[in-house]
């Protein structure tokens, strides 16, 4: 019988959530939902030295913003709880002891100072096949010595004993057959001196305990794959081993290396999903959410970094992604991150989102600047008029504030050199023609007809009219602006500008 699909996203609570991490969560989620499976959030907090307060809550918040909702998690619980590895500490030691008893692992009593000395003595030192017999461990010490050290609670770790002259192979769902030489893999620590497991032991034990069927993780974990596969085999769980898929890296814009936070800082764009403030330093790193990205656009652009459905389609809802998602369409090659393309996705999502769907966001943007928008119907008209001009949600204020506050300053140099009494007279006459009801087309027809009566070219009057209404050379169609403002407000703005132009 085919295994029920159960996948997991297992971040460490050590800081901000990189967009690569969100993509890993997304691909896990899409695969689970495509196959009517279960998506698990598991927090891998075994490295207490790197634990950062608030990071777990931040991760949960990022996933919720993206619409990636776990079926089981530390917050929701589930049949395989607890979902924090630190709370599962008591379950790991038995597996380390089993591996030692079966000859697949050993105790290592080397002190940090001894290891540092070795690293200084031997460039690129690896604790493994070529060095283990020269170290202080249960392979080189007598049974009596080992028992005495354990009896005295001498600090020690447990290391896997990588076999000599073997190959470890597995079929990756993305990359096909992958093979490693065991002689080139070091003896990873499985259990630390504080009794906490390392990632290597904990991830295998938990994936088995939680009945994980498929593992989607970043390409950077490929070097650890032979250790994990051997652990599945050495613990007698080979028949339960999940499928593997190592996702391509998200690369710098120039394609040279993995995209890092430092690259984002250098190039002026975020790499985190949401703002992250380091609780120790107080340093804030900006995220896509606060920059003005819609969650739908963020998810859409991440999905297209290393995957496509085989067509030219680029815009997908979450439901559309679930329907079309397939592992076969994930690329082996790394995907370059292009911030301009990311903004394009956001622009397209803003354009196709109904004004009602943007209303609360726009009101929040104004509220953040101390402006409360009370008239929803008017605000909806404004949103419809200017949303095509916004790449980011944060653009809405700059693109629309003149609708809510008449300009106090005008781009006078753009007007005054060609301003004259005839134009002044034209606008005073045009005021009399303004009334609520006519649309932008009718308003423009009246404008042009009146210009002919005054022996003026309509083109020479359009820019002054725009500056009267908005203060500068920007904004959507000027007659659309006038219709949206209404006759009374338009008249007031023309009169105020005429006084400034004089």
């Amino acid at each position: 019988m085919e295994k029920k699909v159960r996948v997991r996203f297992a971040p460490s609570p050590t800081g901000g959530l990189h967009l690569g991490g969100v993509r890993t969560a997304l691909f896990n989620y899409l695969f689970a939902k495509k196959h009517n499976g279960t998506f698990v959030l598991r927090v891998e907090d075994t490295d207490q030295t790197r634990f950062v307060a608030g990071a777990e809550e931040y991760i949960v918040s990022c996933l919720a913003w993206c619409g990636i909702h776990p079926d089981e998690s530390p917050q929701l619980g589930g049949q395989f709880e607890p979902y924090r590895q630190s709370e599962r500490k008591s379950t790991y030691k038995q597996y380390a002891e089993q591996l030692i008893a079966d000859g697949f692992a050993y105790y290592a009593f080397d002190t940090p100072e001894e290891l540092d000395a070795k690293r200084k003595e031997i460039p690129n030192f690896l604790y493994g096949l070529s060095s283990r017999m020269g170290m202080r461990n249960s392979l080189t010490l007598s049974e009596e010595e080992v028992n005495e050290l354990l009896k005295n609670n001498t600090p020690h770790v447990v290391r896997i004993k990588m076999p000599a002259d073997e190959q470890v192979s597995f079929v990756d769902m993305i990359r096909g057959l992958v093979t490693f030489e065991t002689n080139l893999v070091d003896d990873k620590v499985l259990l630390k001196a504080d009794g906490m497991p390392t990632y290597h032991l904990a991830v295998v034990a938990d994936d088995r305990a939680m009945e994980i069927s498929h593992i989607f993780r970043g390409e950077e974990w490929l070097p650890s794959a032979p250790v994990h596969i051997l652990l599945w085999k050495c613990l007698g769980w080979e028949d339960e081993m999940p499928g593997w898929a190592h996702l391509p890296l998200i690369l710098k814009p120039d394609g040279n290396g993995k995209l890092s936070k430092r690259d984002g800082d250098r190039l002026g764009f975020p790499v985190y999903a949401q703002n992250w403030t380091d609780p120790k330093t107080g340093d804030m790193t900006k995220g896509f959410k606060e920059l003005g990205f819609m969650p739908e656009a963020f998810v859409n652009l991440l999905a297209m970094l290393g995957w496509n459905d085989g067509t030219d389609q680029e815009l997908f809802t979450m439901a559309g992604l679930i329907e079309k998602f397939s592992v076969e369409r994930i690329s082996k090659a790394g995907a370059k991150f292009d911030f301009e393309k990311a903004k394009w996705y956001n622009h397209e999502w803003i354009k196709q989102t109904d004004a009602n769907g943007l209303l609360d966001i726009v009101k929040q943007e104004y509220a953040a600047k101390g402006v409360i928008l009370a008239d929803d119907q008017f605000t909806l008209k404004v949103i419809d008029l200017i949303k095509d001009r916004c790449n980011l949600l944060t653009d809405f204020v700059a693109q629309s504030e003149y609708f809510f506050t008449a300009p106090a300053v005008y781009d006078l140099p753009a007007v005054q050199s060609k301003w004259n009494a005839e134009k002044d007279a034209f606008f005073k006459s045009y005021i009399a023609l303004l009334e609520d009801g006519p649309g932008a087309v009718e308003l423009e027809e009246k404008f042009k007809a009146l210009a002919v009566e005054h022996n003026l070219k309509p083109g020479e009057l359009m820019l002054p009219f725009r500056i009267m209404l908005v203060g500068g050379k920007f904004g959507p169609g000027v007659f659309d602006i006038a219709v949206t403002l209404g006759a009374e407000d338009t008249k007031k703005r023309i009169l105020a500008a005429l006084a400034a132009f004089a």
Side-chain angles (χ1 to χ4, degrees):
M1 190 174 79
E2 192 174 338
K3 275 197 294 191
K4 178 173 170 56
V5 168
R6 287 180 56 81
V7 299
R8 48 68 171 176
F9 176 53
S12 297
T14 56
L17 186 56
H18 187 279
L19 59 91
V22 183
R23 188 193 62 175
T24 297
L26 175 63
F27 281 15
N28 272 285
Y29 181 79
L30 295 176
F31 185 78
K33 298 309 163 189
K34 173 82 173 184
H35 297 281
N36 297 312
T38 300
F39 173 64
V40 178
L41 172 64
R42 185 175 72 221
V43 176
E44 302 200 336
D45 58 348
T46 55
D47 190 347
Q48 293 294 294
T49 62
R50 298 178 63 225
F51 175 80
V52 176
E56 179 184 323
E57 293 79 5
Y58 167 85
I59 290 166
V60 170
S61 173
C62 289
L63 295 182
W65 175 64
C66 291
I68 302 172
H69 302 295
D71 299 300
E72 301 169 19
S73 71
Q75 290 69 35
L76 296 171
Q79 61 178 319
F80 299 102
E81 58 187 355
Y83 292 93
R84 293 186 190 93
Q85 285 187 333
S86 60
E87 297 172 9
R88 303 174 68 85
K89 179 178 176 180
S90 62
T91 67
Y92 303 113
K93 190 175 182 182
Q94 60 178 314
Y95 302 124
E97 290 175 345
Q98 178 186 331
L99 290 165
I100 292 169
D102 293 341
F104 298 124
Y106 58 93
Y107 297 110
F109 299 93
D110 316 277
T111 65
E113 293 74 22
E114 288 169 340
L115 291 170
D116 284 342
K118 277 291 182 186
R119 293 186 187 104
K120 289 174 183 174
E121 177 190 338
I122 304 171
N124 303 316
F125 169 74
L126 289 180
Y127 200 128
L129 183 67
S130 63
S131 62
R132 65 169 76 115
M133 297 313 291
M135 306 300 289
R136 193 161 162 261
N137 54 53
S138 58
L139 302 177
T140 60
L141 300 170
S142 68
E143 187 176 344
E144 292 75 17
E145 288 175 300
V146 171
N147 289 336
E148 187 66 21
L149 289 168
L150 293 175
K151 182 181 174 183
N152 294 330
N153 293 318
T154 305
H156 63 277
V157 300
V158 175
R159 290 181 179 272
I160 188 172
K161 184 183 178 184
M162 292 299 292
D165 306 321
E166 290 187 15
Q167 290 187 331
V168 176
S169 298
F170 71 98
V171 176
D172 188 284
M173 291 187 285
I174 297 170
R175 298 161 195 283
L177 183 66
V178 182
T179 300
F180 294 89
E181 302 290 338
T182 57
N183 291 357
L184 302 177
V185 182
D186 55 326
D187 293 352
K188 300 290 188 189
V189 173
L190 303 179
L191 205 66
K192 293 178 281 191
D194 62 1
M196 287 293 268
T198 62
Y199 172 80
H200 306 293
L201 179 60
V203 74
V204 171
D206 287 345
D207 283 343
R208 193 254 182 170
M210 296 181 183
E211 300 180 3
I212 299 304
S213 65
H214 299 80
I215 294 170
F216 290 82
R217 61 186 185 181
E219 180 185 316
E220 61 269 27
W221 288 109
L222 260 177
S224 299
V227 176
H228 300 166
I229 287 167
L230 280 175
L231 286 174
W232 278 92
K233 292 179 177 179
C234 293
L235 287 165
W237 304 335
E238 186 171 3
D239 291 343
E240 303 171 64
M241 194 185 303
W244 303 85
H246 288 85
L247 303 173
L249 295 176
I250 297 178
L251 304 174
K252 301 175 186 181
D254 62 9
N256 294 319
K258 182 181 176 181
L259 180 70
S260 69
K261 174 183 171 296
R262 191 177 295 109
D263 297 316
D265 293 341
R266 176 173 58 87
L267 297 170
F269 56 76
V271 297
Y272 287 172
Q274 294 181 178
N275 281 3
W276 167 251
T277 301
D278 188 311
K280 294 178 182 175
T281 64
D283 292 340
M284 194 274 282
T285 304
K286 198 155 191 178
F288 280 86
K289 176 184 178 182
E290 290 77 10
L291 187 66
F293 272 75
M294 295 184 67
E296 297 88 348
F298 184 58
V299 164
N300 194 160
L301 73 91
L302 285 184
M304 303 304 283
L305 287 172
W307 174 87
N308 66 75
D309 74 336
T311 72
D312 292 332
Q313 183 176 344
E314 293 187 276
L315 299 179
F316 291 88
T317 62
M318 183 70 87
L321 288 171
I322 291 169
E323 180 188 349
K324 295 290 186 70
F325 187 75
S326 68
V327 179
E328 292 75 21
R329 297 298 312 174
I330 299 175
S331 171
K332 298 181 184 69
K336 290 187 210 177
F337 180 73
D338 181 345
F339 187 56
E340 291 307 310
K341 184 68 174 183
K343 288 193 291 185
W344 176 86
Y345 277 108
N346 205 51
H347 178 62
E348 292 300 314
W349 267 95
I350 288 173
K351 283 200 304 184
Q352 72 176 32
T353 301
D354 180 81
N356 282 293
L358 295 167
L359 179 62
D360 287 344
I361 298 168
V362 172
K363 290 171 76 171
Q364 287 167 18
E365 288 294 326
Y366 269 99
K369 296 185 178 297
V371 179
I372 304 302
L373 304 181
D375 188 339
D376 284 357
Q377 289 309 308
F378 180 71
T379 305
L380 288 169
K381 289 180 185 177
V382 172
I383 291 171
D384 266 329
L385 195 55
I386 58 101
K387 67 178 184 176
D388 286 9
R389 310 177 70 82
C390 298
N391 289 320
L392 302 168
L393 296 174
T394 47
D395 292 340
F396 271 95
V397 173
Q399 292 287 349
S400 67
E401 55 190 343
Y402 54 83
F403 281 104
F404 304 98
T405 306
V409 178
Y410 302 95
D411 183 359
L412 294 177
V415 176
Q416 286 183 323
S417 63
K418 295 183 178 180
W419 190 250
N420 54 39
E422 287 76 15
K423 291 177 181 177
D424 184 272
F426 166 83
F427 280 103
K428 286 175 179 173
S429 298
Y430 187 58
I431 286 172
L433 302 179
L434 291 171
E435 57 180 330
D436 287 324
V441 174
E442 292 86 346
L443 213 56
E444 183 175 4
E445 288 173 351
K446 288 183 178 181
F447 187 93
K448 289 179 177 178
L450 186 63
V452 171
E453 288 180 25
H454 284 252
N455 294 315
L456 293 169
K457 294 179 181 178
E460 294 179 1
L461 300 165
M462 301 283 261
L463 180 59
F465 189 29
R466 176 177 296 280
I467 291 173
M468 288 172 177
L469 299 185
V470 307
K473 296 181 280 189
F474 52 85
V478 67
F479 298 102
D480 291 314
I481 296 172
V483 168
T484 304
L485 289 172
E488 288 308 309
D489 199 356
T490 299
K491 290 176 185 178
K492 288 177 185 176
R493 294 190 184 202
I494 291 173
L495 291 171
L498 289 175
F501 292 177

